[in-house]
Amino acid sequence: MIETLAIWNRLASKPGGKWLFSKLVCLKAPYFASIRPRFLALGPGHAEVRIDKRSAVLNHLGTVHAIAMCNLAELAGGTMTDVSVPRSHRWIPKGMTVRYLRKANSALRAVARQDSDFPEGEHAGECRVHVDVIDREGTVVFTADIDMWVSPRKDPKKNPAG
């Protein structure tokens, strides 16, 4: 299978390309389709993903539900990790610490960034990804620190996609 970043680079600049990429990611990881994400930017060490405020992601207060924000953060952080780790390695989220800072009353944008170096060579280890979730006014309403376990693939020649 073609690398995630290569698909992004091929589609992102074309009309409807970011929408199509977002749909493809949700085909690979169907659970994320529940928040209807839209990728805005993607590259090594950085990702931006947005969701709209709509009834399916709201809580009883009419604000974006905490778990919808967790899903958004994990999608942004995980996809950023996927395009950042060496091809010889794989990753999986190990834990996530979140902080709810303000009510989320609008569409949201998650910005993921790499907080520590990813292991290389024969090394495995934990690295941290930080995600800020920002409302339409530019206020950070939620943060997540995701600990990713990154380890060498068992046989990258037989299974380069994971």
Side-chain angles (χ1 to χ4, degrees), residues 94-116:
K94 187 175 176 184
M96 182 163 69
T97 303
V98 301
R99 293 185 63 220
Y100 306 100
L101 306 172
R102 303 230 189 295
K103 290 180 183 176
N105 288 310
S106 69
L108 300 173
R109 178 174 51 97
V111 179
R113 73 172 187 272
Q114 187 178 332
D115 263 6
S116 58

Side-chain angles (χ1 to χ4, degrees), residues 6 15 20 23 26 40 70 80 90 93-94 110 131 135 158:
L20 180 57
K23 293 294 183 187
C26 290
L40 303 173
C70 287
M80 186 278 300
R90 59 188 178 174
K94 187 175 176 184
V131 183
D135 69 11
K158 288 186 179 177

Side-chain angles (χ1 to χ4, degrees), residues 118-135:
F118 294 117
E120 295 183 9
E122 296 298 316
H123 301 287
E126 195 173 290
C127 57
R128 179 158 289 168
V129 172
H130 180 80
V131 183
D132 286 324
V133 175
I134 304 161
D135 69 11

Side-chain angles (χ1 to χ4, degrees), residues 3-5 21 42-46 78-85 91:
E3 286 186 59
T4 304
L5 188 56
F21 178 84
L42 181 63
H46 180 80
T79 308
M80 186 278 300
T81 300
D82 195 57
V83 304
S84 301
V85 298
W91 62 273

Side-chain angles (χ1 to χ4, degrees), residues 8-9 12 38 72 84 89 93 111 116 120 124 129 147 161:
W8 169 259
N9 288 337
R38 182 70 51 91
L72 177 61
S84 301
H89 284 61
V111 179
S116 58
E120 295 183 9
V129 172
D147 295 321

